[in-house]
Structures are given as C-alpha cells and as structure tokens.
Amino acid sequence: LLSYARTGLFRGVVCSRATHISSVTPFRFLSRRFFSSLKSVENEAPSKTYRVMQIDQDGVTGMIKTKQDLINLTKVPNRDLRNVLSSINKRIPSIAVRSNCVVVHLEHLKAIIFYNNMLVFSIENPKVSRFIDKFHTFLFKKTDKSLPFELRALETLIMEVIFSLEEVFTQEIQQKVLSILNKLRLEHREQHLQQLLDSNNEISSFELQVKEIQDMVVELLNNDQDLAALFLTDAHRNCRREASQHEEAEEMLENYLLHVDEIGQNVEILKKKVAITENQRNRLMRMDLLISQ
C-alpha cells in the first residue's frame, strides 16, 4: 500500500474523489478503485525472465524463460518451481521426487532432473557455472554408465556438493582454525582468542549444513517409494518400479552418505581441538587470578 502511495497511484485515487466520497461507504469505494488500479498495473508489468541451462548427454543449451514458460515446460507444482527460482541459497536442502522429475536444491545447486535432461538454475552463480562446465566430465568419467541418465545426473549434483563441502572445510575452516590454534600455543593474545571465537561460530554453522544434508539423504533412504520413483526412465516407458526395486539408487546414496558422515566426523575432531584449547586457556586464566590474589 505504501509503495503505491509513493508512486502517486493511491494518492490519485484519494484526491480525485475525496470531496465526493460518502461518509457511509468510504472503504468500499476506495478498495474498489484501489484494487482495480492494482490489477491494471499487474497486467501492464512485464513478466520476469530466468536464465536456465538445459543439459543432456550431448551438450548444454541456454534458455531464457518466464515462470509460466517453466510451469508449462516442467509440469511441476508451483511450490517446487518457487524453490529452484528463489535467489536465496540458504534453504534446507531437499530432493523432491515427483511423477515426472526430481526437484533438487542442494547448497548452491538448484535443478530439475527429467529422464533425458536436466534444467539447472541460478547459472549466474560462479559455482554453478563451474559445475555446468565440468558436468559431462562427471557424467561420463565418474558415474556408473549402467545407470539411467536421471540417477547419473543426481549423482553429479551430490558429488559436486560433497566436493564443495570438503573444499570449504579443508581449505578454509580447518586451515584457518589450525593456524589460530598454533598461534595460541605460542602466545595467548586477545586477538587470537577473538579469532578462535569467530571460527568456532563458523564451525557450528558449517556443522549445521552437513547435518542438514545428512538428514536429507537418510530421509530419502528411508522412503522406499521415493527411491523407486527416482527411476524416471522406467516410468517414461510405463514400467514403474515396485517400492522394493531400488537397489542401484540405494547403493549410490549410501555411498555418498558415507562421504558426508566422514566430513561430519572431521568437523567433530576439529571442534574437540578447539574445546581443548579453550579449556587450557580457562585453566590459565584461573591460575592467573589465583596468583594475583
């Protein structure tokens, strides 16, 4: 309402008829004029477009689509499309299995997988662009060629996220924290202690990321119907699998769950090292206090 008032739209409605409005029905009159004006503005507003990459086994095709175009193309529920079109990366990771596709939101990767191609969103993100560049290398060299396209595409997404988590942990968080701990062994300076506190918060945030992915994979592994529905190629051929027929998908997900668990264990080890240093610091502070007394 305020935004329309600032543009003069609402102000024009009020001022042009202010002297003729009945004191009995002012709201009904204003609301009718206001919402009819709002509707005309919505009709005149251009549809927002999105840059999307369509990837299949042969190559990559760039597309510019409106939301309605994407609804018509993908046939997915609006809530699923909203999830992949959102510019917010910090959402709970999800793999939503639908009748004709799999909607994936894992960290920086947002995609819709079909039996023969995959749509990738947020391609302006440099991390996503790098993933697209190496997708076919992952697909042909690091996935099981006996699996259908949809499972191999899903595997590349999970693989990319795990590689990204490992990189962030080893090259950023762990390296920085170990450097601070080494400095604290040499001298207890307030600056280093503050850095350790900031890093501890960073570790906790990263640990939550890992935990959310663990929970998501475990939830999918516990759902036989969704595991069987991952086989989109079979469904496209009208040969939908029974709820118990999902061994290939289960083995793949269990394998990557082990990788995620390993990252979580390394985070725990780093947290213990930080806790030991903090306990030592607290003992030294208590000793200093006793001596000073």
Side-chain angles (χ1 to χ4, degrees), residues 11-136:
R11 186 173 58 249
V13 172
V14 175
C15 295
S16 60
R17 294 292 186 93
T19 56
H20 301 286
I21 296 174
S22 167
S23 59
V24 180
T25 58
F27 178 74
R28 186 171 63 223
F29 177 80
L30 284 174
S31 63
R32 185 170 63 251
R33 288 292 303 275
F34 173 70
F35 286 111
S36 63
S37 301
L38 176 59
K39 185 176 180 180
S40 66
V41 169
E42 286 178 342
N43 291 335
E44 293 171 6
S47 298
K48 183 177 180 179
T49 57
Y50 300 89
R51 292 181 62 208
V52 184
M53 284 293 181
Q54 184 180 56
I55 307 177
D56 57 27
Q57 297 198 79
D58 299 321
V60 179
T61 305
M63 301 186 298
I64 298 178
K65 299 286 187 182
T66 65
K67 187 174 182 180
Q68 188 58 51
D69 290 337
L70 290 168
I71 290 173
N72 297 336
L73 176 66
T74 62
K75 305 294 190 297
V76 300
N78 190 53
R79 65 180 181 278
D80 288 336
L81 203 57
R82 186 166 58 247
N83 196 24
V84 294
L85 292 178
S86 170
S87 59
I88 302 172
N89 285 331
K90 298 297 182 182
R91 287 173 176 256
I92 295 176
S94 62
I95 297 176
V97 185
R98 305 302 181 213
S99 60
N100 67 323
C101 64
V102 181
V103 184
V104 181
H105 188 170
L106 295 174
E107 297 295 313
H108 54 282
L109 296 177
K110 304 169 189 175
I112 301 178
I113 304 172
F114 300 92
Y115 79 96
N116 61 348
N117 68 74
M118 175 171 68
L119 300 181
V120 180
F121 301 83
S122 298
I123 61 176
E124 300 83 2
N125 185 328
K127 287 185 177 181
V128 178
S129 298
R130 288 195 293 271
F131 165 75
I132 292 172
D133 290 340
K134 59 190 178 185
F135 172 80
H136 286 94

Side-chain angles (χ1 to χ4, degrees), residues 168-185 192 195-204 266-267 269-275 277-278:
V168 168
F169 180 71
T170 57
Q171 297 183 19
E172 296 179 23
I173 298 175
Q174 187 179 50
Q175 193 175 65
K176 180 167 62 176
V177 170
L178 292 179
S179 174
I180 296 170
L181 293 178
N182 286 331
K183 290 176 183 177
L184 282 169
R185 289 190 187 98
H192 298 152
Q195 289 174 347
L196 185 63
L197 177 62
D198 294 339
S199 296
N200 211 8
N201 294 334
E202 194 174 351
I203 293 172
S204 297
N266 289 332
V267 173
I269 292 171
L270 188 62
K271 284 180 65 179
K272 287 179 181 177
K273 290 181 178 180
V274 172
T277 302
E278 288 179 336

Side-chain angles (χ1 to χ4, degrees), residues 232-264:
L232 301 173
T233 298
D234 288 346
H236 178 71
R237 295 170 179 166
N238 293 322
C239 300
R240 292 188 182 275
R241 296 200 174 197
E242 297 294 330
S244 60
Q245 297 176 319
H246 52 63
E247 293 82 1
E248 305 98 314
E250 187 174 9
E251 288 177 7
M252 181 196 75
L253 290 168
E254 285 179 342
N255 178 48
Y256 285 106
L257 181 60
L258 290 175
H259 287 288
V260 178
D261 289 344
E262 185 178 353
I263 296 172

